[in-house]
Amino acid sequence: MREPMAVTIKDVAKAAGVSVASVSRALNGHENVTDATRARIVDIASRLRYRPNDAARSLITRRTRTIGAILPALQGDFFSELIRGIDLAARTRGLHLLVSSSHADADETAAALRSMQGRVDGLLVMSPHVDPGLLDANLPDALPAVIMNARIGHSRHPTLAIDDHGGALAMTRHLFSVGHRRIAFIAGPTGNFAADERLRGYRDAFAAAGIEREAIVLAGDFSEQSGRTAGHAMADDPQRPDAVFAANDLMAIGCLLALAGRGFTIPTEIAIAGFDDVPAARYVTPALTTVRARIAELGRNAVACLAAEMEALGSSSSTPQVLPCELVVRASCGRSSR
Amino acid sequence: MREPMAVTIKDVAKAAGVSVASVSRALNGHENVTDATRARIVDIASRLRYRPNDAARSLITRRTRTIGAILPALQGDFFSELIRGIDLAARTRGLHLLVSSSHADADETAAALRSMQGRVDGLLVMSPHVDPGLLDANLPDALPAVIMNARIGHSRHPTLAIDDHGGALAMTRHLFSVGHRRIAFIAGPTGNFAADERLRGYRDAFAAAGIEREAIVLAGDFSEQSGRTAGHAMADDPQRPDAVFAANDLMAIGCLLALAGRGFTIPTEIAIAGFDDVPAARYVTPALTTVRARIAELGRNAVACLAAEMEALGSSSSTPQVLPCELVVRASCGRSSR
DNA sequence: CTGAAAGCGCTTACAG
DNA sequence: CTGAAAGCGCTTACAG
């Protein structure tokens, strides 16, 4: 009981009374085919429900019409948005999307990189601790790749990033502008690109104000719990800051909940700001002031950049892109500066 | 300037002084190879950084070691969780994952189905308005496929689903048990499987209580805005219900916000419950009572089911699975029944 | 245990 | 414009 044989190009050729070469040319839209022949072939092919075998085609064309996305995770608002942008942009170009995520460490990422090889025409890579050397060591030079959210210029591959630094800088300035001065920062995990950039933005704002010595940095790891912990630490601190800027919304929310639980009034006694504008930011009380990045756009642009790479093989062009962020001022920080 | 030739099985054979057949057998772990030969081949292959060409292999084995997931969307907490479960389970089995989503209508879904053909060994399909006929018409009979969140038994393919009906039934009973009787239901989009099932659960609870005539159903479309609209309608209603059960959390939150904005106290004046347990449910004030489904598990089990299908070709086995839901009682509905 | 050979289903120079 | 043929890189009976 073998599987029913799929219809191949030979079957179509036979039915149409032409060679397989003509079928191939007709179906692939080559010029050198009579309209009449093409019409007959197209008609028969569809009647036979002919579907070219992708493996055979890939074998000879060396193209898969597929791109791969290697991401640290898939769940959560950030990745959810990112992958939506990627998926849409890939579909628009008729590209299939292979995904791989949840890589705990560099070894797993390397394995994922290798396993994508040969199955994709190009790769989108985001790794929080991305090491350009990892890519170079595990990817053939010829494979187009685009890196997301890593330091621009650190890799020979085109890199696109959210302007985490600029967003954090703008938020810190905003907090200054509404009258806060003792602004604590709850940091994200050290070594994580976005976390480091946000911290740098915070620090630069203090430096620009000539008060870098007054920066107060608390440890965090992007989890709500670490935000709570920081919130309790602040509540216990006799020199309590008058504002907190957390490196992401989850920590800001944890901090807010902890502080509110300890009886502090927000924003009058202490203001709170986050980063990401996750959906939940609108629902906490008071609603969270935060920084919004256009993440789907990052994904979309990354695909566009990758597609360009794939077409112009070798000519690694396209200026690095840094997508600006936007301040979203809500109730948790007092009134806006304007 | 042609691309650098990749190393093929021939290169390995030549370097090892054996035939390509032996290389193939050695690398694929067949028994009939001397340990010494195998060792030499493996060594040389890795030294040459040999990577079998997947297209060539697929062409002959008729396997891609890839599964496809066709989903209505990718963003949002639900799909985020679902795809996480799918990705993890696929990885565990060494299967690649091809995704396709954002299909506005049946035509686009059909196109996605066809385009996956030949690129995958099996398919995971979730379509809110899934029509078994659509699958049959666009998929070769031989392609293993598993359907998620559709009515069990309506397709010749194995189907797994969240117990939306049971969850809604349980929530409605819970609301009865804490003393509510005039419980309105904000429905989701008609025709959407989950929405319909949840409504049915609500109705069945009323029927079981012998008061089906007292059911109050308001229209909604799963959006926060439709929840707000329903909330305002209730606020204006002289015969205001004493509890609202929304078919999803987004609508429940919209309704809660609208009602709170109109000065109603929750849960004393009106209780509110949702469905899904999205992260935001914990952050609204008061925190939302809701129903939680183990969505990642649905994805994981669907992959397991698909993998079984793929191995035992033809023997469509595996009893239909319905994953139970769990009540999450928070402050928005008054005290728990226990 | 090992090799020579056929063949998977395509595409593309090369002739005509 | 069309066809015969080579070849993409593998795997797998079939012999030995």
Side-chain angles (χ1 to χ4, degrees):
Chain A
M1 189 158 85
R2 66 166 65 129
E3 295 191 36
M5 233 12 230
V7 12
T8 75
I9 196 172
K10 265 190 198 162
D11 302 318
V12 178
K14 202 167 299 175
V18 296
S19 71
V20 296
S22 289
V23 175
S24 174
R25 284 188 286 248
L27 263 26
N28 287 314
H30 292 198
E31 282 310 305
N32 45 0
V33 185
T34 348
D35 285 351
T37 311
R38 187 193 308 277
R40 185 155 39 96
I41 291 173
V42 167
D43 176 58
I44 292 190
S46 86
R47 199 143 43 212
L48 257 38
R49 307 180 123 258
Y50 169 64
R51 282 254 332 160
N53 180 304
D54 289 310
R57 181 178 274 180
S58 288
L59 179 56
I60 194 120
T61 62
R62 279 148 201 294
R63 304 227 147 259
T64 59
R65 296 212 54 77
T66 302
I67 60 173
I70 300 211
L71 308 173
L74 287 176
Q75 82 277 37
D77 299 303
F78 181 89
F79 294 105
S80 191
E81 266 302 286
L82 181 66
I83 202 156
R84 183 171 73 88
I86 292 173
D87 179 60
L88 244 34
R91 284 265 302 297
T92 299
R93 291 174 173 73
L95 295 169
H96 291 262
L97 177 62
L98 207 53
V99 301
S100 177
S101 73
S102 324
H103 310 110
D105 51 40
D107 279 353
E108 281 189 30
T109 307
L113 285 169
R114 284 191 304 268
S115 90
M116 287 266 184
Q117 196 187 126
R119 312 186 84 99
V120 299
D121 296 341
L123 225 41
L124 254 28
V125 183
M126 179 181 288
S127 171
H129 307 257
V130 77
D131 169 13
L134 193 73
L135 286 179
D136 296 352
N138 290 283
L139 243 39
D141 294 348
L143 188 65
V146 166
I147 305 192
M148 292 178 291
N149 264 20
R151 197 171 305 284
I152 298 289
H154 269 218
S155 163
R156 62 182 170 77
H157 297 100
T159 305
L160 313 207
I162 295 289
D163 189 10
D164 292 295
H165 172 265
L169 184 67
M171 177 59 85
T172 310
R173 286 188 164 149
H174 169 73
L175 294 172
F176 282 144
S177 81
V178 295
H180 300 295
R181 169 129 182 183
R182 286 187 51 75
I183 305 166
F185 186 80
I186 310 179
T190 307
N192 176 296
F193 176 72
D196 292 347
E197 285 295 286
R198 293 172 187 183
L199 174 56
R200 198 165 63 81
Y202 164 81
R203 286 222 144 97
D204 283 355
F206 271 71
I211 53 171
E212 54 262 69
R213 308 271 316 263
E214 299 182 27
I216 307 163
V217 177
L218 285 79
D221 60 8
F222 275 166
S223 73
E224 182 184 331
Q225 183 51 52
S226 70
R228 278 181 199 273
T229 304
H232 285 297
M234 275 177 241
D236 295 333
D237 187 352
Q239 308 206 50
R240 202 177 59 249
D242 42 52
V244 200
F245 176 21
N248 76 349
D249 284 350
L250 243 46
M251 294 195 295
I253 290 172
C255 181
L256 182 152
L257 262 24
L259 254 12
R262 295 284 287 271
F264 291 93
T265 308
I266 297 157
T268 27
E269 290 184 83
I270 184 162
I272 301 182
F275 203 118
D276 283 341
D277 196 25
V278 301
R282 293 165 44 216
Y283 302 128
V284 288
T285 306
L288 190 66
T289 286
T290 185
V291 182
R292 178 192 299 154
R294 296 194 302 276
I295 302 162
E297 193 174 327
L298 173 67
R300 182 153 31 101
N301 292 0
V303 172
C305 179
L306 182 60
E309 283 280 297
M310 283 161 44
E311 268 153 38
L313 264 173
S315 80
S316 188
S317 57
S318 66
T319 49
Q321 274 188 32
V322 177
L323 278 95
C325 294
E326 179 186 352
L327 247 48
V328 180
V329 178
R330 300 202 179 95
S332 71
C333 280
R335 96 210 120 67
S336 156
S337 56
R338 341 197 154 180
Chain B
M1 190 157 84
R2 65 166 65 132
E3 295 193 36
M5 235 9 232
V7 12
T8 75
I9 195 170
K10 265 190 198 162
D11 302 318
V12 178
K14 202 167 300 176
V18 297
S19 69
V20 296
S22 288
V23 176
S24 174
R25 285 188 284 248
L27 263 24
N28 288 314
H30 292 199
E31 282 309 306
N32 45 0
V33 185
T34 347
D35 285 351
T37 311
R38 187 192 307 277
R40 185 154 39 95
I41 291 173
V42 166
D43 176 57
I44 290 190
S46 85
R47 198 142 45 208
L48 258 38
R49 308 180 123 259
Y50 168 64
R51 282 254 333 161
N53 180 304
D54 289 310
R57 182 178 272 179
S58 288
L59 179 56
I60 194 122
T61 62
R62 280 150 198 295
R63 303 227 147 259
T64 59
R65 296 212 55 77
T66 302
I67 60 172
I70 300 210
L71 308 172
L74 287 176
Q75 83 276 37
D77 299 303
F78 181 89
F79 293 105
S80 190
E81 266 302 285
L82 181 66
I83 202 155
R84 183 171 73 89
I86 293 174
D87 179 59
L88 243 35
R91 284 265 302 298
T92 300
R93 291 173 173 75
L95 295 170
H96 291 262
L97 177 61
L98 207 53
V99 302
S100 177
S101 73
S102 324
H103 310 109
D105 52 39
D107 279 352
E108 282 189 30
T109 307
L113 286 169
R114 284 192 304 266
S115 90
M116 287 264 185
Q117 198 188 125
R119 313 187 83 100
V120 299
D121 295 342
L123 226 39
L124 255 27
V125 182
M126 179 181 287
S127 170
H129 307 257
V130 77
D131 168 14
L134 192 73
L135 285 180
D136 296 352
N138 290 284
L139 243 39
D141 294 348
L143 188 66
V146 166
I147 305 193
M148 292 178 290
N149 264 21
R151 199 171 304 283
I152 299 288
H154 269 219
S155 163
R156 62 182 169 76
H157 296 102
T159 305
L160 314 208
I162 295 289
D163 189 10
D164 292 294
H165 173 264
L169 183 69
M171 176 59 83
T172 311
R173 286 189 164 148
H174 168 73
L175 293 172
F176 282 144
S177 80
V178 295
H180 300 294
R181 169 129 182 182
R182 285 187 50 75
I183 306 167
F185 185 80
I186 311 180
T190 307
N192 176 296
F193 177 73
D196 292 346
E197 285 295 286
R198 292 171 187 184
L199 173 57
R200 196 166 65 83
Y202 164 81
R203 285 221 144 96
D204 284 355
F206 272 71
I211 52 170
E212 54 264 67
R213 307 272 314 264
E214 299 181 28
I216 307 165
V217 178
L218 285 77
D221 61 8
F222 275 166
S223 73
E224 183 185 331
Q225 183 52 50
S226 69
R228 278 181 199 273
T229 304
H232 286 297
M234 274 177 241
D236 295 333
D237 186 352
Q239 307 207 51
R240 201 177 59 251
D242 43 52
V244 201
F245 176 19
N248 77 349
D249 284 350
L250 244 46
M251 294 195 294
I253 290 172
C255 181
L256 183 151
L257 263 23
L259 254 12
R262 295 283 289 268
F264 290 93
T265 307
I266 299 157
T268 27
E269 290 183 84
I270 184 162
I272 300 182
F275 203 118
D276 282 341
D277 195 25
V278 299
R282 293 165 46 219
Y283 301 129
V284 289
T285 307
L288 189 67
T289 286
T290 184
V291 183
R292 178 191 300 154
R294 296 193 302 276
I295 301 162
E297 193 174 329
L298 172 67
R300 182 154 29 102
N301 292 1
V303 172
C305 180
L306 183 60
E309 284 279 297
M310 283 160 44
E311 268 153 39
L313 264 172
S315 81
S316 187
S317 57
S318 67
T319 48
Q321 273 188 34
V322 178
L323 277 94
C325 294
E326 179 187 349
L327 247 48
V328 181
V329 179
R330 300 203 179 95
S332 71
C333 281
R335 96 212 119 67
S336 154
S337 57
R338 342 194 152 183

